[in-house]
Each structure stands twice: as structure tokens, then as C-alpha cells.
Amino acid sequence: MTAAGGTVHWAADADEANRIVTRLVRETGETEVVKVKSMATQEIGLNEALEEAGIRAYETDLAELIVQLGADRPSHILVPAIHRNRGEIRAIFAREMGRWGRPAPDGLTDSPRDLAEAARLHLREKFLRAKVGVSGANFMVAETGTLVVVESEGNGRMCLTLPETLISVVGIEKVVPTWRDLEVFLQTLPRSSTAERMNPYTSTWTGTTDTDGPRAFHLVLLDNGRTDTLADEVGRQALRCIRCSACLNVCPVYERAGGHAYGSVYPGPIGAILSPQLRGTASEIDASLPYASSLCGACYEVCPVAIDIPEVLVHLRERVVQGGEVTRRGVKVTLKPAKGHAAERAAMRAAGLAFARPGVLRAGLRLASRTRRFHPRTLPGPGRAWTATRELPKVPAESFRDWWQRTGGGKDDGRGGK
Amino acid sequence: MILGRVRRALGGPGGAPASYATDIDRGYRRRHGERTVEQTVDLLAENLAEYRAIVHRTDAGELPLLLMRLLAERWPDTVLVPPGLPHEWMAAVDAPLVHDRAVSTAAELDRSGAVVTGCAVAVAETGTIVLDGSPDQGRRRITLIPDHHICVVRVPDQVVSSVPQALERLDPARPLTWISGPSATSDIELDRVEGVHGPRVLQVVLVSGE
């Protein structure tokens, strides 16, 4: 890519990436940039960092525009404004567009066609004026230095070709070795993402081209926890993700909880394994994400790159409860077991002891059977919330093991006769 | 520093495959189904139309008249043309032609209502046309700003069955634009709307013979 006229920058974390992009924009003397929808720039909070530096970043994807104008947060990887209905979008456009540029037309209706037309007019002015574009990339090809952006609306093409300077921020896991590898991914991504044979627009570019497109191209390669994730032999498969969002669409937990509940730009099952690895499990939300799943496995079934999300979830739960060795910012550290799980660990230890000793297990089972009439119908203390909507399982009068022994494995049913 | 972290994460040197070219299993299909040349062209037409491109079929002799008719139907003030578009294609067109020049600004291009180009390759299975910036296709921006794009595909020479076959024909060093139908969005209540920022009308002319 350097050979083709581009400049490469390496960013170990979000702050460094933001500093690099801010500096690059400042060097152009511009105070506005147009943006293609990009998960990586959301992950590092680029818009906020640019704003602090007095640079306005305009989102140009329709859904991202809705989110930005509404001072909102995205709730889905592919359709970030899925939580807004057409009436709300009409209200946001009518109220906010004028403050950002060309106002929404008078008498704007709430039909998606009219709303899209309002966005077209609002953004066209920005595209034609913009001198700096900021993008991510869906793929990078190592052998040719080519970047790929897959999109539907044409805002990507606008941002990639009209500005004089293009800055792309891309996670290092987006690289594929050869040009030929695209034959797999260009067929896989649209099908898993929107169930289309092919998305309306795909752009590829290699460095800069004379007279066609930006004259300066900068690629910011972002680590931000990716090499730490790579160091985990079970968890590293999450880096294969191509952000198609198929796992969100089938997830029963995502369907009920919604994207905002995941506290990250990566919602849904993939977010539940990606965020705690990229950010670590130190915060309450990151430690709880591996539990945001019923382990039903639907996500693994639809994943086009075969990430075994349930396996990684269980692996991360183990890490939260038991602690252990992980890599953070390139350094191996040992995590302490999480405090909140002391009771669980004690219960598991007790269960382990009992299951390893048949005598103890038998005594325990018999004790439970004999005292069954004294068992409460609801649990005391914190267990009460659980039994408020469920019945405790009834303990039978005789355990299976005792029954088996008494009847010789069921041959004699215990009532006489064969 | 980041590359060092990658190496350490993968357990030091020696972990890399000996040869990527031979280690990767390419046992998947290069195309989906057996088709004759005519069937491949038919499939292209069908898939383009399904994604709301308007498909026309003609031969080299009739092409200028067809282009004249397609442009006259929409009355653009001017028609943009890339520098290397064959002159005879536009011989019958009434609207003034605007030749794209390196100094043409985006705002100038915004005044043209239509653009006519050739293409590099077309993919039947996905209903895709690919532009690579050759002289008959021009800079990427000229097929983006006008609201009406007419793309001429020479059949069967420029048609391949599948994405893998298209990638083989294309040069990664050139800026490529893959187009499958007019621009679209489903961002509002998942209701599909055609025509956001790119051309809202895409017409593809499949021209056969010389």
C-alpha cells in the first residue's frame, strides 16, 4: 500500500488512533470531515475525540445520521437506528437537520422514501464540499495493499472518492492474505448480512490513483485489544468476525434486550464475546456480558465464519469466576477471581466433594428425601427473586440410586412380579 | 510493536504456515451450476432486473439509437461521458455531451443529469457490473453524482458466471466499483427504499456482436 502512494500509521489503542486522526485532519487545515459508517471508529470514539479538537464529523450512512442527529447510540451493527420508528425519525430530521446543514423540507412526511430523500439532499451538500473523508474497511488485502468497503447507499462511494484526503481506520484483524481470498468473503458477507446475492456497491482501492479519487490516503492500523485477544487460544476465534450481524438477528436475548443493553458498539452474541476480550472483564458490564446468553447456540449455527460463540462464552465465564492468566496490552497478567461469584465457587466446590465420594453423596440424598416435607416453597434471601416466578423442584421420596439398588436396576419393579 | 505482539500471541516464530497458497483448502465451487454462454447472459439480465436495474438488449448497429431513446426519455440537460467512450455510441444523442476532465469539480458534475459508460466485467450469478476506471468508464465520481447511469456491457465477452471468475479478470491496482442495482437503504423500519446517494436509475444495455 505504501508502494501505491498511501501512508500507514500504527495505533496500539483508541487514544493513539484518535490522536493520529486528529493530527492528520488538522494538517489539512479543515474543520469538517464526512464519515462512512465504520465500527472501528465507533469503537475508539473518534467523533467525540474530533469534536474536542474542534472538528465536526458528519455521519453519512442514513441510520448513523439518524443516530447522530438524535444524539443517540447505535443499537445494531448493520441497522443502527432499528430502535427508531418512522415518526421519531421524521421528528428528528425536522428538528435537527437545520442545525447541522440543509434543513429538512417543509411538510416532510414519515414515509421512508421521503425521509431518505431528505437525507439525500441534506448530505449531498456535505459530500460536494468535503475535503476530508474518514472510513473503515471491511477487508484489507495484504499482497496487494487493497482496501474494500461494502455498502448499499452510495455514501461510502461519495466519501471514498470526492474528498482530497482519505483516512481509513481499520482493525488489524480485517486483513486477508491474498486477492483471491476476497472471492470467499465478497460472496459470504452480503448473504449473511442482508440476505442479498450482492450488496448494491462495493469499492476497492489501492493507495491513490492519479486524478481519480483522493490525492492523499492514510491507513491507521488499530490494535486496541486485538493482539491480546489473539493471545487467547479459545477466544481468538472472535477475531474472525466479519460484522455481518447474522448472530444478532437470530439471538433470543438480543431480541428481548435490544442493542443498547450490551453497553458497547458491538451488541448481540458477538458483542458478548468481543467486548470483554477487547476491553477486559474489569468493569461490571464487561464481566456480565459472557452471561448475556442462554447458550442456545443459534448464533454459532448462522455464523458464516464458524465462530463457536457458546464455547467462547463459557470460556469467558470461567475466566470471570476463576480468574487466570490473560494478556493485557501485550503483557501477561493473572486475573483474580471475581468477587461476586464466591457463593457459586463454594457451591461448586461442595458439589465436587460430594460427587467424588459416593458415601457422602448417598447420605446427602437420603437426608434431602427424609426432610422433604420441611422444605420451604420459596428460597430465602437473594434466592427469593428466583422462586417468585418459579416453583422449587420437588425432592422425591426415594433417590434414583436407592431405587436402582432396591430393584436391581429396574428388573424387579419393587411391587413384586416380573 | 503491534507486529511484535502478534508474533508473541501466536507463540513466536515458526507458527506460520509454510505456504499460504498450498495450505488453504480451495475445495469450494468456482461457480454455481453449469450454463451455456447464452444461459449465462440470460441469468445476468434476470439478476440485474431483479435488483431493479432496467435491462435492455441490442446489437452494435442499434446501440446508438437505443442510447438516444433512453436518454431522450428522461431529458437530462447534459450527458457526462468518460474520455474513452466509443464516439459512435453517442452519435445519435441530442443532449449536449460533457466530457469529464481532471479539473471538473464535483459541483460541476452535479449539473449533469446522466452518464454513459462501458464496464470492465459483469457477473451473472450476482447481477453485478464492475467498473475499473478504464478510459471507457472514467473516474469513479462520474458514475456516482448524476442521477441516471447507463452502462453498456458487451456480451458475451465481458460476462462471467461468478465472483471468483470476476476477481481473476480484475486488476487490484485499479480502483474498482462493483454495482448491483441502484443504491438502496433499509435503514428506516427495514423498509427498502431505492435511490439514496448513488444514481437512482441504473440502466444496463447488453450489446451483442460487432
Side-chain angles (χ1 to χ4, degrees), chain A residues 86 117 120 183 197 202 206, chain B residues 28 50 172 189 196 200:
Chain A
R86 60 182 71 192
E117 173 67 15
R120 176 186 169 97
E183 69 190 24
R197 287 188 304 265
T202 298
T206 305
Chain B
Y28 49 84
E50 201 196 358
E189 296 183 5
V196 194
R200 284 180 279 198

Side-chain angles (χ1 to χ4, degrees), chain B residues 73-95:
Chain B
E73 277 167 10
R74 293 177 191 273
W75 289 108
D77 292 339
T78 57
V79 180
L80 256 177
V81 289
L85 197 76
H87 293 300
E88 62 276 15
W89 287 7
M90 306 300 285
V93 172
D94 300 321

Side-chain angles (χ1 to χ4, degrees), chain A residues 216-253:
Chain A
F217 172 53
H218 297 274
L219 172 62
V220 181
L221 290 171
L222 179 70
D223 181 342
N224 207 29
R226 285 161 176 76
T227 51
D228 295 341
T229 307
L230 185 66
D232 183 326
E233 287 184 18
V234 178
R236 65 168 59 145
Q237 54 185 312
L239 297 175
R240 291 205 293 258
C241 176
I242 55 175
R243 314 279 188 261
C244 72
S245 71
C247 60
L248 276 63
N249 300 339
V250 297
C251 178
V253 176

